[in-house]
Amino acid sequence: MIKVLGICGSPRKGNSQYLLEKALEAAQKAAPGEVETELYSIRGKKFAPCISCFKCGDQQGECILKDDFQELREKWVEAGVVIYSVPVYHMGIPAQLKAFLDRLGNSLFGRYAELFDGEAKLPRSLKVIASIAQGAHLFSGQEHTITDLINHALIMGCVPVTGDMWEAYIGAGAWTYNEVGRNVLAENEENGSLDTRVALRGAESIGRRAAELALILKAGGLANANRFSGEPVYQPFLRRIQG
Ligand SMILES: Cc1cc2nc3c(=O)[nH]c(=O)nc-3n(C[C@H](O)[C@H](O)[C@H](O)COP(=O)(O)O)c2cc1C
């Protein structure tokens, strides 16, 4: 079973969640019975920023700050696909999600230190990562935000994926016509807005392609499991796909 984790990076149930739901539905439909989806919203959750204590390096990756980080970290580690859907905040990702991602990377150095004789390295976890970003305005940070998430995917040893041309070049994106209401995209879909239709098609194709790529990676990993079984960088990936 491929676990598809949708992370909604908005502190409200709004436009990001709307697009994420579409992406998750498409992921589910891509391979019924082989994919399970979960939507996790940061709404109401607490993620304190990293305090740079580096304690997680000494204690198997355990972060000394106790909040909602631990729960989401475990979901992230178990997932074969992570789909982020975020509102653009000042040309980037919201602070809550950034706090989670900072702590995630450093805590995983600690968690996997044993694999690398104590060296600070990250495994090739080969999760498929897809990104959706929408904002109130046009040309106002959607691509920058998606690029930040792609860069994060790369440093985490993951595989970024996008949807189909022409709706999704590096991820799916939308704008809400200068409106800041939480249901603008849903309303615009009803009104037949072309931009919103594009965003929905982008979100759907990204969900579908993400699930498909995870199936391809799983099949390739299983077929080559013996070849890579001695390589520490592939251990978390192999453990995950072998269940
Ligand atoms: C703190 C803050 C910063 C924002 N910065 C931007 C921005 O840089 N570019 C943009 O297009 N919209 C910006 N917005 C608007 C939101 O991205 C927009 O309202 C979005 O639809 C909210 O998504 P949600 O409904 O999922 O919360 C900002 C909103 C807030 C609250």
Side-chain angles (χ1 to χ4, degrees), residues 10-12 14-17 87-91 134-137 140 142 176 179-182:
S10 170
R12 64 185 191 174
N15 302 293
S16 307
Q17 189 155 327
V88 179
Y89 275 12
H90 294 274
M91 304 287 289
Q134 52 74 39
H137 308 130
S140 55
Q142 288 84 342
T176 58
E179 302 282 347
V180 292
R182 68 179 75 219

Side-chain angles (χ1 to χ4, degrees), residues 89-166:
Y89 275 12
H90 294 274
M91 304 287 289
I93 61 177
Q96 297 91 322
L97 184 60
K98 177 70 171 123
F100 169 73
L101 296 181
D102 289 346
R103 286 167 65 193
L104 176 70
N106 275 32
S107 81
L108 294 189
F109 281 130
R111 177 183 283 217
Y112 296 121
E114 261 179 32
L115 279 176
F116 304 112
D117 298 326
E119 238 188 294
K121 281 183 156 194
L122 288 175
R124 303 258 152 188
S125 55
L126 301 185
K127 290 175 204 307
V128 176
I129 306 280
S131 308
I132 302 168
Q134 52 74 39
H137 308 130
L138 196 56
F139 306 123
S140 55
Q142 288 84 342
E143 280 177 301
H144 286 295
T145 304
I146 290 173
T147 306
D148 282 349
L149 291 166
I150 290 174
N151 288 340
H152 182 259
L154 291 171
I155 63 169
M156 299 303 284
C158 296
V159 185
V161 69
T162 187
D164 294 335
M165 285 279 186
W166 46 267

Side-chain angles (χ1 to χ4, degrees), residues 10-237:
S10 170
R12 64 185 191 174
K13 187 171 177 214
N15 302 293
S16 307
Q17 189 155 327
Y18 177 69
L19 291 178
L20 184 55
E21 283 166 4
K22 303 285 179 185
L24 291 177
E25 278 167 25
Q28 183 78 64
K29 277 196 206 139
E34 291 179 82
V35 167
E36 74 182 29
T37 61
E38 177 178 359
L39 193 154
Y40 182 97
S41 173
I42 65 144
R43 179 170 169 241
K45 307 281 184 180
K46 294 266 180 289
F47 300 99
C50 176
I51 56 167
S52 195
C53 68
F54 288 97
K55 295 260 170 40
C56 56
D58 313 328
Q59 43 196 24
Q60 283 84 45
E62 267 320 310
C63 182
I64 63 160
L65 303 170
K66 301 295 176 213
D67 52 22
D68 292 302
F69 168 73
Q70 282 76 14
E71 176 194 33
L72 184 53
R73 177 197 57 200
E74 291 315 304
K75 291 182 188 294
W76 193 95
V77 166
E78 284 168 19
V81 176
V82 178
I83 305 177
Y84 297 105
S85 184
V86 301
V88 179
Y89 275 12
H90 294 274
M91 304 287 289
I93 61 177
Q96 297 91 322
L97 184 60
K98 177 70 171 123
F100 169 73
L101 296 181
D102 289 346
R103 286 167 65 193
L104 176 70
N106 275 32
S107 81
L108 294 189
F109 281 130
R111 177 183 283 217
Y112 296 121
E114 261 179 32
L115 279 176
F116 304 112
D117 298 326
E119 238 188 294
K121 281 183 156 194
L122 288 175
R124 303 258 152 188
S125 55
L126 301 185
K127 290 175 204 307
V128 176
I129 306 280
S131 308
I132 302 168
Q134 52 74 39
H137 308 130
L138 196 56
F139 306 123
S140 55
Q142 288 84 342
E143 280 177 301
H144 286 295
T145 304
I146 290 173
T147 306
D148 282 349
L149 291 166
I150 290 174
N151 288 340
H152 182 259
L154 291 171
I155 63 169
M156 299 303 284
C158 296
V159 185
V161 69
T162 187
D164 294 335
M165 285 279 186
W166 46 267
E167 301 90 348
Y169 271 52
I170 58 168
W175 75 300
T176 58
Y177 289 78
N178 297 353
E179 302 282 347
V180 292
R182 68 179 75 219
N183 295 318
V184 179
L185 292 180
E187 287 158 11
N188 286 357
E189 184 191 10
E190 298 229 322
N191 299 337
S193 142
L194 174 63
D195 292 16
T196 303
R197 246 182 30 237
V198 169
L200 289 169
R201 278 174 58 154
E204 282 162 7
S205 66
I206 218 170
R208 173 177 176 189
R209 301 304 178 204
E212 290 169 352
L213 182 55
L215 289 167
I216 292 167
L217 287 170
K218 183 177 176 182
L222 291 175
N224 289 284
N226 288 343
R227 181 193 300 254
F228 297 121
S229 61
E231 293 226 34
V233 283
Y234 292 117
Q235 292 315 305
F237 169 62

